[in-house]
Amino acid sequence: MKVPEWVADAIFYQIFPDRFANGDPDNDPPNVRPWGSPPDLYHFQGGDLKGILQRLDYLLDLGITAVYLNPIFLSPSTHRYNTTDYFRIDERLGSMQDFEQLLDYAHRQGVRIILDGVFNHCGRGFFAFVDVLENQQYSAYRDWFHIHKFPLNAYSRGPAHYEAWWGIKSLPKFNTSNPRVRKYLMSVARFWTEKGIDGWRLDVPNEIDDDSFWAEFRETVKRVNPEAYLVGEIWEVNPRWVSEGHFDGLMNYPLREAILRFLNRETTASQFVQDVEHVLNAYAPENRLAMYVPLGSHDTPRVITVLGGHREAVKLAFALQFALPGAPAIYYGDEIGLPGEKDPDCRRAFPWDEAFWDQDLRAWVKRLIQLRKAQIALRRGEFRFVSVEDSSRCCAFVRQHPHGSVLVVTNAGASDRTVGVSLDALGQVGEPAFRPLLGDDVTWRVEGGHLWVHLPPYGVFWAAYPPLAGG
């Protein structure tokens, strides 16, 4: 299976458009709340496409190479997963011209843009569903949805009489087995791909449980742009969804879960190793590298909140995220320590006053990005654990590549620890020359056929070493 070549090298940044930056107050809706107000399900705060464009230099300074935007199409909600018009930019975010300017500038700076594709369901204001509400059983679009009986009950209490995502009436489910529905949705995919986007993040694709639909979707997109990235929102380990008929990669929530459970002391080091290997071994090497690896998203509490405000644990979480296989993805604001409980609190406005930033954390993330870009092993190297110690909550793994390797040693415990890694486990002939990359507060030595690394609590050590003999 051929996946887009660029994804393994990508650093993603996810943006919830209403909360990232307000670049044009003139398009704010009348019910806009002040920037930074506690988020809720109904009120906008004014973020828009011009704001993203104006702040793209911030992302470039951080080192971002790809942006995933939550839905930007016309919708009555802040989250925009209840789409009204798939061919129209929501006016509260700007115009088509604003989007084209953002796409053009991003591409000129080497940044790719992927959009959120919500094709399982639409909003109640979608033209076909409005027609059904207006004309009931006489509507020409009645077969576009899964209707059980008439009249429909789309707004008041009581049964909806139609299928909707999680039974939420504002999200009527498409009948994707209807050829007209398919033709419409494929035209949406083709339109935006032809506009120049670099891929799609597919919302709840498992709820369109039809392999032929996704095979047609993939063919439609790849025919326009063979290097377009298709990533599915699948929350469990499931190899079905990465294939020639499905997606290039998945949102790797199971890997996120393994990292955060380990750092929250919910699992041992051995269990962490087992969890990581279970996730990675389920997929072919090319798909493993094309996974989108988040620590947080619009659907989860923020990483600093999950880890109880423990900044050193957060830094270690980022270090693991950037060293494990897959494309690391930063949820906007996580790099400055923005807190947030589950939705809607995890969708707070980005605080552009730097007085509210954790500058040390941002510098750490920026350094990780620079190192990942500099070390091909961290992006494309084969992965293998080489040490695990349950009593000390320490483990070590390598990313090995013909052009050089990187050793990663971590201490997820609350006390200083010394970890020994056998040189034989690294596949070396003789003693390799280690070059420290990360871990300014770490001491190390080579002695007795081992590399001995002394780590502080929640410490991490990255070291480059020469490629395998004959590599």
Side-chain angles (χ1 to χ4, degrees):
M1 176 184 177
K2 186 181 185 305
V3 301
E5 186 69 19
W6 60 270
V7 177
D9 300 321
I11 311 290
F12 278 93
Y13 194 88
Q14 180 190 349
I15 291 176
F16 191 80
D18 184 61
R19 308 288 160 72
F20 184 62
N22 188 345
D24 183 6
D26 289 342
N27 61 28
D28 291 355
N31 66 337
V32 68
R33 280 194 171 174
W35 194 256
S37 298
D40 60 31
L41 297 175
Y42 304 104
H43 292 91
F44 294 83
Q45 294 196 28
D48 51 31
L49 297 175
K50 283 187 177 179
I52 299 171
L53 176 62
Q54 292 168 9
R55 298 292 184 173
L56 199 63
D57 286 346
Y58 166 86
L59 301 183
L60 294 172
D61 176 72
L62 192 62
I64 298 303
T65 65
V67 173
Y68 152 43
L69 297 175
N70 284 112
I72 61 173
F73 307 143
L74 184 64
S75 165
S77 68
T78 60
H79 58 74
R80 296 186 174 87
Y81 283 94
N82 48 344
T83 308
T84 298
D85 189 335
Y86 287 83
F87 292 97
R88 185 173 163 190
I89 301 291
D90 193 317
E91 286 89 346
R92 286 165 290 208
L93 292 178
S95 64
M96 182 67 81
Q97 182 180 15
D98 294 332
F99 176 74
E100 291 169 346
Q101 288 178 347
L102 171 61
L103 192 63
D104 177 66
Y105 184 69
H107 284 171
R108 284 190 282 116
Q109 299 300 320
V111 174
R112 300 177 192 260
I113 303 288
I114 68 169
L115 298 185
D116 217 323
V118 189
F119 301 128
N120 174 68
H121 50 265
C122 60
R124 286 177 294 206
F126 180 69
F127 78 94
F129 195 73
V130 169
D131 192 280
V132 177
L133 292 179
E134 183 69 25
N135 296 302
Q136 297 289 314
Q137 65 266 38
Y138 305 107
S139 172
Y141 298 96
R142 58 178 293 176
D143 293 333
W144 279 46
F145 305 94
H146 301 272
I147 297 172
H148 302 309
K149 69 175 184 178
F150 293 98
L152 301 191
N153 178 9
Y155 290 94
S156 59
R157 292 183 178 180
H161 301 157
Y162 58 89
E163 290 186 28
W165 184 73
W166 282 25
I168 300 172
K169 291 182 179 182
S170 62
L171 302 172
K173 179 177 173 63
F174 280 121
N175 175 14
T176 51
S177 64
N178 183 325
R180 292 195 298 158
V181 174
R182 284 202 186 200
K183 182 179 180 181
Y184 175 85
L185 295 178
M186 299 306 159
S187 70
V188 173
R190 185 168 52 252
F191 176 83
W192 292 101
T193 308
E194 289 176 345
K195 275 283 182 187
I197 69 168
D198 299 286
W200 292 92
R201 177 268 190 186
L202 286 314
D203 184 63
V204 294
N206 56 307
E207 301 202 20
I208 303 179
D209 193 13
D210 182 342
D211 292 340
S212 66
F213 177 90
W214 291 116
E216 183 179 355
F217 184 90
R218 182 180 181 87
E219 182 183 4
T220 299
V221 172
K222 298 288 188 175
R223 191 184 306 124
V224 177
N225 179 7
E227 283 292 293
Y229 178 44
L230 299 181
V231 55
E233 183 205 10
I234 302 293
W235 286 69
E236 68 276 356
V237 177
N238 193 335
R240 168 195 173 183
W241 295 100
V242 284
S243 71
E244 283 291 356
H246 295 88
F247 314 128
D248 302 306
L250 307 176
M251 297 186 76
N252 205 340
Y253 282 112
L255 195 57
R256 167 192 180 268
E257 185 74 6
I259 293 170
L260 298 183
R261 283 173 56 83
F262 180 46
L263 296 184
N264 263 333
R265 306 182 69 84
E266 297 172 36
T267 57
T268 64
S270 293
Q271 289 170 325
F272 172 68
V273 169
Q274 292 172 10
D275 289 343
V276 170
E277 290 181 337
H278 171 65
V279 175
L280 298 181
N281 292 339
Y283 303 103
E286 61 270 23
N287 301 116
R288 194 179 304 147
L289 297 180
M291 291 289 175
Y292 176 105
V293 182
L295 287 181
S297 77
H298 63 294
D299 286 326
T300 69
R302 287 186 174 272
V303 59
I304 198 165
T305 299
V306 173
L307 294 177
H310 192 322
R311 184 151 62 85
E312 294 309 308
V314 173
K315 291 171 71 174
L316 180 52
F318 275 115
L320 287 168
Q321 177 196 28
F322 274 78
L324 289 167
I330 300 166
Y331 182 47
Y332 79 101
D334 278 355
E335 77 278 11
I336 59 167
L338 187 64
E341 299 289 348
K342 66 179 182 179
D343 167 30
D345 192 48
C346 60
R347 303 172 182 181
R348 299 186 190 187
F350 192 104
W352 287 104
D353 183 345
E354 294 188 27
F356 294 97
W357 296 7
D358 184 331
Q359 296 284 6
D360 179 64
L361 181 58
R362 186 182 186 277
W364 176 261
V365 172
K366 184 174 179 179
R367 184 178 179 187
L368 294 176
I369 292 173
Q370 292 170 340
L371 288 172
R372 189 173 188 275
K373 288 181 176 181
Q375 299 294 323
I376 191 171
L378 292 173
R379 308 192 307 274
R380 298 173 178 271
E382 294 184 4
F383 172 87
R384 180 166 51 88
F385 279 104
V386 293
S387 177
V388 56
E389 298 179 9
D390 277 340
S391 60
S392 60
R393 299 189 59 77
C394 295
C395 66
F397 57 86
V398 290
R399 300 293 306 276
Q400 292 178 316
H401 188 273
H403 293 150
S405 300
V406 174
L407 170 68
V408 177
V409 187
T410 66
N411 174 17
S415 303
D416 286 19
R417 296 291 182 181
T418 298
V419 181
V421 179
S422 166
L423 300 185
D424 287 342
L426 302 181
Q428 295 297 306
V429 177
E431 295 187 356
F434 292 101
R435 179 167 58 87
L437 302 173
L438 191 69
D440 298 336
D441 51 357
V442 171
T443 58
W444 60 278
R445 70 186 190 280
V446 176
E447 183 179 291
H450 285 72
L451 171 69
W452 299 96
V453 182
H454 186 77
L455 299 131
Y458 296 93
V460 60
F461 178 68
W462 288 4
Y465 63 96
L468 297 176

mmCIF file of all heavy atoms in Angstrom, residues 81-103:
data_model
loop_
_atom_site.group_PDB
_atom_site.id
_atom_site.type_symbol
_atom_site.label_atom_id
_atom_site.label_comp_id
_atom_site.label_asym_id
_atom_site.label_seq_id
_atom_site.Cartn_x
_atom_site.Cartn_y
_atom_site.Cartn_z
ATOM 1 N N TYR A 81 -19.915 20.313 13.223
ATOM 2 C CA TYR A 81 -20.102 18.933 12.771
ATOM 3 C C TYR A 81 -21.529 18.686 12.286
ATOM 4 O O TYR A 81 -21.851 17.584 11.862
ATOM 5 C CB TYR A 81 -19.717 17.946 13.886
ATOM 6 C CG TYR A 81 -18.221 17.805 14.028
ATOM 7 C CD1 TYR A 81 -17.508 18.583 14.937
ATOM 8 C CD2 TYR A 81 -17.509 16.921 13.225
ATOM 9 C CE1 TYR A 81 -16.130 18.484 15.049
ATOM 10 C CE2 TYR A 81 -16.131 16.813 13.316
ATOM 11 C CZ TYR A 81 -15.452 17.592 14.234
ATOM 12 O OH TYR A 81 -14.075 17.495 14.331
ATOM 13 N N ASN A 82 -22.360 19.702 12.353
ATOM 14 C CA ASN A 82 -23.721 19.631 11.800
ATOM 15 C C ASN A 82 -23.777 20.538 10.563
ATOM 16 O O ASN A 82 -24.354 21.620 10.568
ATOM 17 C CB ASN A 82 -24.769 20.025 12.836
ATOM 18 C CG ASN A 82 -24.436 21.322 13.567
ATOM 19 O OD1 ASN A 82 -23.306 21.788 13.533
ATOM 20 N ND2 ASN A 82 -25.423 21.905 14.224
ATOM 21 N N THR A 83 -23.204 20.044 9.479
ATOM 22 C CA THR A 83 -22.997 20.852 8.282
ATOM 23 C C THR A 83 -24.305 21.201 7.584
ATOM 24 O O THR A 83 -25.182 20.360 7.413
ATOM 25 C CB THR A 83 -22.081 20.102 7.299
ATOM 26 O OG1 THR A 83 -20.903 19.690 7.985
ATOM 27 C CG2 THR A 83 -21.718 20.971 6.117
ATOM 28 N N THR A 84 -24.398 22.465 7.156
ATOM 29 C CA THR A 84 -25.544 22.953 6.389
ATOM 30 C C THR A 84 -25.235 22.976 4.900
ATOM 31 O O THR A 84 -26.092 22.672 4.070
ATOM 32 C CB THR A 84 -25.942 24.363 6.876
ATOM 33 O OG1 THR A 84 -26.335 24.280 8.252
ATOM 34 C CG2 THR A 84 -27.083 24.922 6.052
ATOM 35 N N ASP A 85 -24.002 23.354 4.546
ATOM 36 C CA ASP A 85 -23.615 23.431 3.137
ATOM 37 C C ASP A 85 -22.140 23.050 3.025
ATOM 38 O O ASP A 85 -21.265 23.756 3.525
ATOM 39 C CB ASP A 85 -23.838 24.849 2.593
ATOM 40 C CG ASP A 85 -23.672 24.938 1.085
ATOM 41 O OD1 ASP A 85 -22.962 24.095 0.510
ATOM 42 O OD2 ASP A 85 -24.249 25.863 0.479
ATOM 43 N N TYR A 86 -21.883 21.934 2.352
ATOM 44 C CA TYR A 86 -20.520 21.403 2.250
ATOM 45 C C TYR A 86 -19.653 22.144 1.230
ATOM 46 O O TYR A 86 -18.453 21.907 1.170
ATOM 47 C CB TYR A 86 -20.563 19.924 1.869
ATOM 48 C CG TYR A 86 -21.007 19.002 2.980
ATOM 49 C CD1 TYR A 86 -22.355 18.789 3.248
ATOM 50 C CD2 TYR A 86 -20.072 18.339 3.766
ATOM 51 C CE1 TYR A 86 -22.760 17.926 4.258
ATOM 52 C CE2 TYR A 86 -20.460 17.475 4.776
ATOM 53 C CZ TYR A 86 -21.813 17.285 5.022
ATOM 54 O OH TYR A 86 -22.208 16.428 6.029
ATOM 55 N N PHE A 87 -20.235 23.014 0.452
ATOM 56 C CA PHE A 87 -19.478 23.745 -0.569
ATOM 57 C C PHE A 87 -19.237 25.199 -0.175
ATOM 58 O O PHE A 87 -18.728 25.969 -0.975
ATOM 59 C CB PHE A 87 -20.215 23.694 -1.906
ATOM 60 C CG PHE A 87 -20.269 22.322 -2.524
ATOM 61 C CD1 PHE A 87 -21.383 21.523 -2.361
ATOM 62 C CD2 PHE A 87 -19.191 21.819 -3.239
ATOM 63 C CE1 PHE A 87 -21.439 20.251 -2.919
ATOM 64 C CE2 PHE A 87 -19.230 20.554 -3.802
ATOM 65 C CZ PHE A 87 -20.363 19.761 -3.639
ATOM 66 N N ARG A 88 -19.559 25.543 1.033
ATOM 67 C CA ARG A 88 -19.530 26.949 1.445
ATOM 68 C C ARG A 88 -18.782 27.104 2.768
ATOM 69 O O ARG A 88 -19.047 26.389 3.732
ATOM 70 C CB ARG A 88 -20.969 27.435 1.593
ATOM 71 C CG ARG A 88 -21.159 28.890 1.903
ATOM 72 C CD ARG A 88 -22.655 29.186 1.836
ATOM 73 N NE ARG A 88 -23.016 30.441 2.491
ATOM 74 C CZ ARG A 88 -24.263 30.833 2.729
ATOM 75 N NH1 ARG A 88 -25.280 30.054 2.338
ATOM 76 N NH2 ARG A 88 -24.513 31.969 3.330
ATOM 77 N N ILE A 89 -17.853 28.046 2.800
ATOM 78 C CA ILE A 89 -17.164 28.390 4.037
ATOM 79 C C ILE A 89 -18.146 29.123 4.949
ATOM 80 O O ILE A 89 -18.888 29.998 4.502
ATOM 81 C CB ILE A 89 -15.951 29.294 3.764
ATOM 82 C CG1 ILE A 89 -14.948 28.601 2.817
ATOM 83 C CG2 ILE A 89 -15.272 29.705 5.067
ATOM 84 C CD1 ILE A 89 -14.225 27.435 3.408
ATOM 85 N N ASP A 90 -18.157 28.771 6.215
ATOM 86 C CA ASP A 90 -19.016 29.480 7.167
ATOM 87 C C ASP A 90 -18.594 30.953 7.218
ATOM 88 O O ASP A 90 -17.422 31.260 7.453
ATOM 89 C CB ASP A 90 -18.888 28.835 8.543
ATOM 90 C CG ASP A 90 -19.969 29.284 9.513
ATOM 91 O OD1 ASP A 90 -20.278 30.491 9.548
ATOM 92 O OD2 ASP A 90 -20.504 28.428 10.240
ATOM 93 N N GLU A 91 -19.569 31.846 7.027
ATOM 94 C CA GLU A 91 -19.250 33.290 6.994
ATOM 95 C C GLU A 91 -18.595 33.776 8.279
ATOM 96 O O GLU A 91 -17.845 34.756 8.273
ATOM 97 C CB GLU A 91 -20.519 34.114 6.735
ATOM 98 C CG GLU A 91 -21.023 34.042 5.306
ATOM 99 C CD GLU A 91 -21.986 32.873 5.084
ATOM 100 O OE1 GLU A 91 -22.046 31.976 5.966
ATOM 101 O OE2 GLU A 91 -22.655 32.846 4.040
ATOM 102 N N ARG A 92 -18.873 33.093 9.400
ATOM 103 C CA ARG A 92 -18.252 33.500 10.663
ATOM 104 C C ARG A 92 -16.762 33.180 10.685
ATOM 105 O O ARG A 92 -16.032 33.673 11.550
ATOM 106 C CB ARG A 92 -18.970 32.823 11.828
ATOM 107 C CG ARG A 92 -20.341 33.424 12.102
ATOM 108 C CD ARG A 92 -21.173 32.546 12.987
ATOM 109 N NE ARG A 92 -21.596 31.337 12.294
ATOM 110 C CZ ARG A 92 -22.708 30.651 12.564
ATOM 111 N NH1 ARG A 92 -23.514 31.076 13.526
ATOM 112 N NH2 ARG A 92 -23.014 29.571 11.899
ATOM 113 N N LEU A 93 -16.325 32.348 9.724
ATOM 114 C CA LEU A 93 -14.897 32.060 9.582
ATOM 115 C C LEU A 93 -14.269 32.857 8.453
ATOM 116 O O LEU A 93 -13.040 32.897 8.341
ATOM 117 C CB LEU A 93 -14.687 30.565 9.313
ATOM 118 C CG LEU A 93 -15.014 29.613 10.463
ATOM 119 C CD1 LEU A 93 -14.803 28.166 10.026
ATOM 120 C CD2 LEU A 93 -14.175 29.928 11.692
ATOM 121 N N GLY A 94 -15.094 33.460 7.614
ATOM 122 C CA GLY A 94 -14.569 34.222 6.495
ATOM 123 C C GLY A 94 -15.171 33.787 5.178
ATOM 124 O O GLY A 94 -16.269 33.233 5.118
ATOM 125 N N SER A 95 -14.430 33.999 4.118
ATOM 126 C CA SER A 95 -14.914 33.743 2.762
ATOM 127 C C SER A 95 -14.056 32.682 2.079
ATOM 128 O O SER A 95 -13.007 32.276 2.587
ATOM 129 C CB SER A 95 -14.841 35.036 1.948
ATOM 130 O OG SER A 95 -13.483 35.456 1.810
ATOM 131 N N MET A 96 -14.494 32.284 0.902
ATOM 132 C CA MET A 96 -13.688 31.366 0.104
ATOM 133 C C MET A 96 -12.336 31.996 -0.213
ATOM 134 O O MET A 96 -11.305 31.318 -0.238
ATOM 135 C CB MET A 96 -14.420 30.990 -1.175
ATOM 136 C CG MET A 96 -13.681 29.995 -2.051
ATOM 137 S SD MET A 96 -13.532 28.358 -1.297
ATOM 138 C CE MET A 96 -15.168 27.695 -1.699
ATOM 139 N N GLN A 97 -12.329 33.297 -0.455
ATOM 140 C CA GLN A 97 -11.070 33.982 -0.732
ATOM 141 C C GLN A 97 -10.126 33.893 0.474
ATOM 142 O O GLN A 97 -8.919 33.695 0.310
ATOM 143 C CB GLN A 97 -11.324 35.445 -1.085
ATOM 144 C CG GLN A 97 -10.057 36.207 -1.444
ATOM 145 C CD GLN A 97 -10.323 37.670 -1.801
ATOM 146 O OE1 GLN A 97 -11.399 38.204 -1.520
ATOM 147 N NE2 GLN A 97 -9.345 38.306 -2.418
ATOM 148 N N ASP A 98 -10.681 34.030 1.681
ATOM 149 C CA ASP A 98 -9.847 33.890 2.885
ATOM 150 C C ASP A 98 -9.236 32.497 2.957
ATOM 151 O O ASP A 98 -8.052 32.347 3.293
ATOM 152 C CB ASP A 98 -10.688 34.141 4.141
ATOM 153 C CG ASP A 98 -11.169 35.575 4.248
ATOM 154 O OD1 ASP A 98 -10.487 36.477 3.720
ATOM 155 O OD2 ASP A 98 -12.239 35.790 4.845
ATOM 156 N N PHE A 99 -10.046 31.497 2.635
ATOM 157 C CA PHE A 99 -9.535 30.129 2.671
ATOM 158 C C PHE A 99 -8.444 29.930 1.627
ATOM 159 O O PHE A 99 -7.397 29.317 1.907
ATOM 160 C CB PHE A 99 -10.666 29.124 2.446
ATOM 161 C CG PHE A 99 -10.186 27.700 2.378
ATOM 162 C CD1 PHE A 99 -9.781 27.036 3.522
ATOM 163 C CD2 PHE A 99 -10.104 27.041 1.158
ATOM 164 C CE1 PHE A 99 -9.311 25.726 3.460
ATOM 165 C CE2 PHE A 99 -9.636 25.734 1.085
ATOM 166 C CZ PHE A 99 -9.242 25.084 2.244
ATOM 167 N N GLU A 100 -8.662 30.434 0.427
ATOM 168 C CA GLU A 100 -7.672 30.284 -0.641
ATOM 169 C C GLU A 100 -6.371 31.004 -0.287
ATOM 170 O O GLU A 100 -5.279 30.508 -0.583
ATOM 171 C CB GLU A 100 -8.248 30.802 -1.957
ATOM 172 C CG GLU A 100 -9.375 29.921 -2.498
ATOM 173 C CD GLU A 100 -10.118 30.558 -3.654
ATOM 174 O OE1 GLU A 100 -9.945 31.792 -3.867
ATOM 175 O OE2 GLU A 100 -10.875 29.843 -4.336
ATOM 176 N N GLN A 101 -6.472 32.156 0.367
ATOM 177 C CA GLN A 101 -5.266 32.873 0.790
ATOM 178 C C GLN A 101 -4.506 32.077 1.846
ATOM 179 O O GLN A 101 -3.267 31.998 1.806
ATOM 180 C CB GLN A 101 -5.633 34.260 1.322
ATOM 181 C CG GLN A 101 -6.076 35.235 0.246
ATOM 182 C CD GLN A 101 -6.481 36.582 0.826
ATOM 183 O OE1 GLN A 101 -6.670 36.726 2.037
ATOM 184 N NE2 GLN A 101 -6.625 37.587 -0.042
ATOM 185 N N LEU A 102 -5.245 31.488 2.798
ATOM 186 C CA LEU A 102 -4.609 30.675 3.822
ATOM 187 C C LEU A 102 -3.920 29.470 3.188
ATOM 188 O O LEU A 102 -2.763 29.166 3.504
ATOM 189 C CB LEU A 102 -5.659 30.208 4.839
ATOM 190 C CG LEU A 102 -5.186 29.168 5.864
ATOM 191 C CD1 LEU A 102 -4.054 29.717 6.719
ATOM 192 C CD2 LEU A 102 -6.349 28.704 6.736
ATOM 193 N N LEU A 103 -4.608 28.803 2.286
ATOM 194 C CA LEU A 103 -4.049 27.616 1.636
ATOM 195 C C LEU A 103 -2.803 27.978 0.827
ATOM 196 O O LEU A 103 -1.779 27.285 0.896
ATOM 197 C CB LEU A 103 -5.116 26.991 0.742
ATOM 198 C CG LEU A 103 -4.840 25.593 0.184
ATOM 199 C CD1 LEU A 103 -4.728 24.572 1.312
ATOM 200 C CD2 LEU A 103 -5.960 25.192 -0.781
#
